[in-house]
Structure formats: C-alpha cells, structure tokens
Amino acid sequence: MIAGAGSGKTRTITYRVAYLIQRGVAASQILLMTFTNKAAREMLSRVEHLTGNDAQAIWGGTFHAMGNRLLRQHGPLVGLQANYSILDDEDQRDLLKVCLGDAKVQVEEKRFPSPSIIQGLLSMAFNTQRPLSAVLEERAPHFAEWEGVLQEIARRYEGKKRSANALDYDDLLRFWLKLLQEHPEVAQRLGRQFRYVLVDEYQDTNTLQAQIVERISAHNGQNLMVVGDDAQSIYKFRGANYDNILKFSERNPGTEVFKLEVNYRSTPQILAFTNASILHNRQQFRKTLQPQRPRGTLPVVLPLNDVYQEATFVAQRILQLRDEGVPLTDIAVLYRAHAHSSIVQAELIKRNIPYDVRSGVRFFEQAHIKDAVAFLKVLDNPFDEVAWRRLWLMLPRIGNATAARLWAQIQQAANPLEVAVEARLAQSLPAAAQPYFKRLQLDLQALRVVLQDQPPAALIGAILGTAYPEYLRAKYEGAQTRLEDIQQLAVFARPYRSLRSLLSELVLLGELYGQEMNGATAETERLILSSVHQAKGLEWRVVFVIRMCEGEFPSERALHEEQGEEEERRIFYVATTRAKDELYLTHPLMDLSLRGGGQLLQPSRFLREIRFTLYEQGEVELRSPYDDERRPEW
C-alpha cells in the first residue's frame, strides 16, 4: 500500500485489522509492527474502538518489542538464556567503556572516539549490514586509523554481552533473524501462528527488518500487507533501506500495489506545488496527490537579503498570523539542519514569542555552543573561573582536582590569562596531560591575536582552527553538524562590533531561555521549530520552510552521496506536505557564513525546478539587517 502524505495511512491499516477481526480472524493470529510504542498504542486503540473488542491479543508493537517477546520463548534455540537482560543506551556505553579499559587503548597524540560514537558506528554497521571499515569511511574517516582497535573493541563487546547474558537493541533483531534462518521449523510455526502480518512505515525499515518480515510471510501464504510512502523515505542516516519499499514487488512476486492518493490535509495549491516537486525524482512509485479541500492561497516564495532579514520576516509574519486568529500551536518553522534555526530563535526571543524546539536542544543551550562561548569569555574576562574550568576539563588527563589546582595558580594574577599561557603552568601538570595543555595555550595565544584587530565573528571562526574540532569529533556523534552550529554562531555574531556586547547579548538570551516569556506557563501555546526529519507525520495550518538555498537545502554533503539529491528532494516533499493552509518558503540571497564571505546564494534547485505559476513570488520591504528595529512590512 503506497500511502501518499495526508492520505489516511493509519486509518487504512487499522481498518484492515478491524476488517480481519470482524471476518473471524483471531486477534492472536495478527502481527502488527510499527516504529514507536506510541504509534502501536494508537493503532490498537483505534482497532478496539472499531470492533468493540479487546485488541490486546493482537501481537502489536515495535520491531524490537516483538523480537524480545519471541526470543523469550525461543531464545535457547539460538544460544540465549530465557532470562537475558536488555541493555539500554547508557548500559551499552558503560559496557563499551569496560571494553576500552580491557583493551588497554593508549591514546598518545590523537583523541580516541568516545563510547557513544563507537556505539553509533557499530550500530550503523549492523543495521546496514556493511563492514565497519565502510561505515568509518563514509561517516567518520577521521577515525580510520583506529579501525583495527575498533574491531577489537567490537569483538570484546560481543563477548561481554554473551558472557553477561545480555542483549542490546540491535541484538533483538540479530537473534530474531538468526532464529528464522537457522530454524526453518520455527519460521514455519510463526508463519502458521501469524496468518496476517501488517507493517506500518515500511519505507523506514532497515535490511534486517525487511528480511524478518518477509521470511515470516513466506510461511503464511504471503499474507503480508506493508504500508508506507516511498516519497517520505528520509531516514537513510539511521540505516533505513529505500529499496525495501521500492523493490518490494520484485522480492515478492504476485504483490498487488494499491495507491492512496487522496489527500485530506492540504489545499489544492499546496498539493500542486508538492506534486510538481517530487515529480523530478526518477526512482519512485509515481502518484499524484488529489485534494479534498477547497481552494486556498498559493505557496509564497520569498527572497530575502540575508538570514537576519529572513528571521525578521518569519517572526513578524507569525505575530501577524496570531493577530489574525491563528494559534501559535498551528504554526511551524521547519529547516533542513538544526543550525539553521539559530538566528530565528534569537529573533523569537527578542520578540517574546514562546516556542518549542523539536530538533534538539535550544541552540544557545547546546554544549558545544557553550564550549565556544567559554573561549570568548576567558578572552574578555580572564577572571571567569567557570569558563576556565570548562576549557580545562575538555582536555584529556585533566579532571576537577587538576582544574582546581590550575585555577589556584592563576587567580591571584593581575591578568590570569597571561599566567594561563605561560610555559611553567604546563610544566606543573603530569607529563601525560602536558601536550594537550600546551596546545590549548597556543590556541589561546592565537585567538588573542585575532581579537586585537578583528570582530567577534572572526574570533568565533578562529575557534574552528584550534584543537576544539578534534575534541568534538572524539566526544560527540554528529560532530560535523556541531561544527556547522559554531559557524552559525559566527553568523549570529556578525552585527556585533565588540566581544563584550556579543557576550552580553548571549547572556541575556540565556536568561530568557531559562524563564517563561510573558508569564507563560506549561499550558501556554507555543510555536514549533523543528527539523524536517522530526516533523514527519505532523501537520500545521501554517508552515515556514527556511534556508531554501543551494548548499543549505539540499544539504551540500548529501549531494555528494549516492542518490543523495533524490533523498533531499524527498525531505523537501515531507516539509511542504506538512502545511494545511499556508506555506512560506524563504531563501537568503547573501551568504554570511565563514565559508561564503558575502557571496550571493542561489535559490534551492527545489524551488527553481517548479513552474513559477504554482507559487507567488513574495516581496518584503526591510530596513538594514543590522538595525535593531528590523521590521518587515508584509
């Protein structure tokens, strides 16, 4: 079942289950799988409402929950004890730390990846069924030199899990598939038990999940129904395999394909726009969403001078919409990358517009942004003990006790920064810590030079030339995204001519983050800011999609990946199909990022390829982007 956006996919699958039960199929003979416990509960609740019967007998839940339930019964066949433990994410990281210690990993000059990064790399290799070396090459080439050590840690990790009678989340799929492969009699028994198998969001399945589902259905007369939308397959970065839905019919001869093309969500104008966009993808099930709602307004494409004017327009239009009676909860600002929300967040705070962020931590509260600000603080105020401690504690072999001793040595100086970069301070540390500390001293001296004659934005850019990116890559997953966040911090800093004024503004933003605006409570309506990936499955009356320019949306990195452009277009399709009544797409004309240097930006190819009659070219009159009273007239 190919279910287009807004076509009632969940309704379809629940009605199918209800129909089977009403036709006399026992609830215990139905296996219904999806990706979240919330979705499973919602579907089972709907089935109960439709049939008037208790749906608890249905085998319904996530892939991992169903795997656990079956392995509790059949685990001994694949070498598991029935009382195995399940490791959560924190447990997995703790066990990996033990493996690191047992392997006696010696890190001399370069940082070794943290347990959370190792966990992500091993999981990606498993879920995509690719060698660890291939995953390293694609996702973390800076760790390639550690491949042999990582392989050894992976072996130790597997061994410790087995000896501890413990499974991680991936193991629930691993051993479920192993059970089906190595014990065909069990596969046949499960096929007879589950006469009907239904899977929601099939476009999001990985290779193992598809193999599990299709092996079971091979023994139940191929009574398999999968529902999904190939045009909304956007989770490759999590291991989802697009071919699972695209080539389903090839793997399962005799498949009937039904298309749900009636859209109940969006106006005809918005659907015409989205249909025109996804048409440019070559690999897809062709379909055209048909509207059921009356006519509305055309989507609006707005060129704006830069990201400041973009943020100003978005905030001002939101206030106008609220005055027109549209609740903030019915409005969303969507973006390709979390970093793109930084300037908008700052503008919303200034205008006292309450909002929630669905794409992660609020921009200025993120750990790596606070790290970067710590560099700025010690340069502006060398007596800031908290900032010094934050910088020192990033360094290997330096803990709280050592940081306290360092502070005691510099705090009495007329200028603690002068003492902090002296050679004798490094010499007071254990030998193992000295190389890292000396590098920090050199970085601080270089940053002081930048500060002498360049604005704060250049200073933030210079942080990317220190050892800090190396720390980020070793400590955090998604290091490249975090580095892009720091670049966006530099963009935010461009209007500020002094470091002190910038830091004052950041502190004030932080204070506003920590309190409710306008006396707002937890029940107060809030605007939604979200990445497109986090917005999938949701809808709003009014949607803004920002940063619609080349290199931003589509993502420049994604364009270098195989079939990357088509996945980026699917992400754009998901973004635009979230809108019910109004859709605004904004694209800055000037690149103010460190890499851009004030060059002109092209509108996104996803805008340029759509016929101009399908949208309205908007215009705004704005003052200088550096004017505190930047207010557009719409």
Side-chain angles (χ1 to χ4, degrees):
M1 184 78 68
I2 303 299
S7 63
K9 169 181 59 62
T10 302
R11 181 178 184 274
T12 299
I13 200 167
T14 52
Y15 267 75
R16 171 66 174 167
V17 173
Y19 170 80
L20 291 173
I21 291 175
Q22 290 174 340
R23 291 290 299 270
V25 176
S28 61
Q29 293 181 314
I30 298 173
L31 176 61
L32 172 60
M33 289 187 289
T34 186
F35 280 86
T36 67
N37 290 316
K38 179 181 177 182
R41 288 193 298 268
E42 180 183 348
M43 286 192 285
L44 293 175
S45 175
R46 288 195 191 187
V47 170
E48 287 186 355
H49 178 73
L50 290 170
T51 63
N53 298 322
D54 186 1
Q56 295 303 310
I58 295 173
W59 282 63
T62 65
F63 277 89
H64 295 95
M66 294 300 96
N68 176 53
R69 190 171 172 183
L70 289 167
L71 289 174
R72 294 294 182 186
Q73 298 178 14
H74 305 288
L77 292 175
V78 286
L80 300 176
Q81 300 178 46
N83 65 335
Y84 62 78
S85 302
I86 299 176
L87 305 174
D88 62 19
D89 286 335
E90 185 176 356
D91 294 333
Q92 293 170 45
R93 290 192 292 270
D94 288 343
L95 189 57
L96 283 166
K97 288 178 185 176
V98 175
C99 295
L100 284 167
D102 289 351
K104 295 181 172 57
V105 175
Q106 298 294 322
V107 184
E108 299 299 337
E109 297 180 359
K110 294 188 178 180
R111 299 176 190 269
F112 193 77
S114 68
S116 63
I117 292 179
I118 297 172
Q119 177 189 15
L121 293 171
L122 296 181
S123 184
M124 178 58 70
F126 169 74
N127 284 294
T128 57
Q129 294 292 280
R130 291 190 300 161
L132 179 59
S133 58
V135 173
L136 283 171
E137 181 180 355
E138 177 185 291
R139 300 174 67 89
H142 46 283
F143 292 137
E145 65 182 288
W146 298 109
E147 180 187 342
V149 181
L150 291 171
Q151 296 282 13
E152 172 62 21
I153 290 171
R155 286 191 289 271
R156 288 178 180 271
Y157 179 59
E158 291 301 317
K160 285 189 176 294
K161 285 189 296 181
R162 299 293 81 79
S163 63
N165 188 30
L167 304 183
D168 61 22
Y169 297 134
D170 291 338
D171 288 329
L172 296 172
L173 299 181
R174 185 199 317 271
F175 284 100
W176 187 3
L177 181 58
K178 183 177 181 180
L179 180 68
L180 298 175
Q181 291 173 331
E182 297 182 357
H183 296 275
E185 74 282 2
V186 175
Q188 292 172 7
R189 192 185 317 158
L190 291 178
R192 291 192 298 270
Q193 176 181 346
F194 301 125
R195 291 176 55 197
Y196 295 90
V197 179
L198 303 94
V199 186
D200 190 22
E201 303 286 8
Y202 204 69
Q203 78 279 349
D204 295 335
T205 54
N206 62 36
T207 300
L208 279 89
Q209 289 164 333
Q211 290 177 356
I212 288 168
V213 167
E214 293 174 23
R215 277 183 178 271
I216 293 175
S217 67
H219 298 284
N220 73 353
Q222 291 192 316
N223 285 323
L224 170 62
M225 174 182 174
V226 303
V227 181
D229 184 4
D230 60 298
Q232 296 187 72
S233 178
I234 61 173
Y235 292 118
K236 179 182 177 182
F237 72 96
R238 291 183 186 169
N241 187 343
Y242 184 54
D243 283 347
N244 286 353
I245 191 166
L246 190 66
K247 298 181 179 179
F248 182 87
S249 300
E250 295 178 20
R251 296 191 309 276
N252 299 275
T255 295
E256 290 187 72
V257 178
F258 299 92
K259 297 180 181 179
L260 300 181
E261 298 179 282
V262 177
N263 177 285
Y264 300 94
R265 175 186 299 155
S266 305
T267 63
Q269 286 78 7
I270 292 174
L271 291 186
F273 185 93
T274 59
N275 284 331
S277 174
I278 200 64
L279 187 65
H280 290 271
N281 270 11
R282 296 181 180 180
Q283 298 190 60
Q284 63 170 305
F285 288 102
R286 296 286 181 185
K287 59 184 176 295
T288 303
L289 295 179
Q290 302 294 332
Q292 282 294 293
R293 295 188 54 202
R295 292 183 61 81
T297 59
L298 287 170
V300 178
V301 174
L302 282 135
L304 294 151
N305 287 347
D306 51 41
V307 292
Y308 306 107
Q309 293 188 346
E310 179 179 59
T312 301
F313 163 73
V314 170
Q316 184 66 19
R317 182 59 184 144
I318 287 168
L319 291 174
Q320 292 171 349
L321 287 164
R322 188 172 63 178
D323 291 344
E324 293 167 9
V326 180
L328 290 179
T329 51
D330 280 342
I331 306 172
V333 180
L334 305 183
Y335 34 82
R336 176 62 181 84
H338 183 54
H340 296 167
S341 69
S342 58
I343 311 300
V344 172
Q345 288 192 48
E347 190 69 24
L348 294 174
I349 291 171
K350 290 177 182 178
R351 292 174 182 266
N352 225 12
I353 302 175
Y355 67 92
D356 282 332
V357 179
R358 299 281 178 84
S359 53
V361 179
R362 290 177 179 238
F363 185 82
F364 296 100
E365 292 179 337
Q366 297 175 109
H368 50 287
I369 296 298
K370 290 184 176 181
D371 291 344
V373 172
F375 280 100
L376 307 181
K377 285 184 173 181
V378 299
L379 293 171
D380 181 63
N381 174 21
F383 292 93
D384 190 328
E385 179 183 358
V386 174
W388 277 115
R389 283 177 173 268
R390 190 175 191 98
L391 295 182
W392 289 331
L393 290 173
M394 293 182 206
L395 304 178
R397 319 296 178 121
I398 292 183
N400 283 308
T402 303
R405 288 197 302 271
L406 287 168
W407 175 246
Q409 293 180 69
I410 73 170
Q411 65 175 327
Q412 299 300 328
N415 185 344
L417 180 57
E418 297 290 349
V419 180
V421 297
E422 289 180 357
R424 64 181 178 85
L425 190 62
Q427 293 166 0
S428 69
L429 296 173
Q434 289 187 23
Y436 306 104
F437 193 84
K438 289 177 180 177
R439 175 63 193 272
L440 174 62
Q441 290 179 313
L442 291 173
D443 288 338
L444 288 172
Q445 290 172 4
L447 293 175
R448 291 175 72 189
V449 173
V450 175
L451 181 60
Q452 289 175 4
D453 59 1
Q454 296 194 53
L459 182 61
I460 295 170
I463 293 172
L464 298 176
T466 68
Y468 182 70
E470 188 178 303
Y471 164 80
L472 263 188
R473 294 187 183 100
K475 183 174 176 62
Y476 297 112
E477 289 187 271
Q480 186 58 41
T481 299
R482 295 172 189 268
L483 292 172
E484 290 170 2
D485 284 344
I486 295 175
Q487 291 175 344
Q488 288 302 311
L489 180 64
V491 173
F492 173 82
R494 281 183 69 107
Y496 298 89
R497 290 293 170 257
S498 75
L499 180 57
R500 192 153 300 166
S501 64
L502 170 63
L503 289 171
S504 297
E505 182 76 0
L506 290 172
V507 169
L508 292 174
L509 289 174
E511 288 180 350
L512 284 171
Y513 276 134
Q515 60 184 268
E516 302 293 351
M517 291 178 285
N518 272 346
T521 66
E523 291 75 31
T524 300
E525 65 180 45
R526 295 174 184 271
L527 169 75
I528 297 300
L529 270 63
S530 176
S531 68
V532 180
H533 286 93
Q534 292 293 327
K536 185 174 174 290
L538 304 176
E539 60 183 33
W540 295 271
R541 285 175 60 183
V542 183
V543 169
F544 296 83
V545 186
I546 63 173
R547 298 289 182 93
M548 287 302 308
C549 43
E550 282 294 300
E552 305 278 11
F553 200 163
S555 161
E556 186 174 0
R557 277 183 292 156
L559 293 178
H560 292 96
E561 299 175 0
E562 184 179 0
Q563 299 179 2
E565 180 179 325
E566 296 218 343
E567 174 142 337
E568 289 293 299
R569 191 176 285 105
R570 293 195 295 270
I571 297 171
F572 179 59
Y573 174 84
V574 169
T576 55
T577 53
R578 301 309 95 199
K580 296 163 67 176
D581 300 336
E582 296 182 38
L583 175 62
Y584 297 91
L585 306 111
T586 61
H587 63 95
L589 298 174
M590 189 71 69
D591 187 350
L592 299 181
S593 68
L594 298 173
R595 69 180 182 194
Q599 294 181 356
L600 290 177
L601 288 167
Q602 279 193 310
S604 169
R605 65 189 67 188
F606 302 150
L607 298 179
R608 287 182 279 124
E609 66 193 12
I610 295 177
R611 193 171 69 251
F612 70 91
T613 57
L614 295 178
Y615 60 86
E616 177 185 350
Q617 185 77 39
E619 293 183 4
V620 293
E621 294 182 6
L622 297 159
R623 301 180 183 181
S624 165
Y626 303 117
D627 185 348
D628 287 339
E629 299 298 318
R630 303 189 297 271
R631 297 181 184 275
E633 296 178 5
W634 168 247

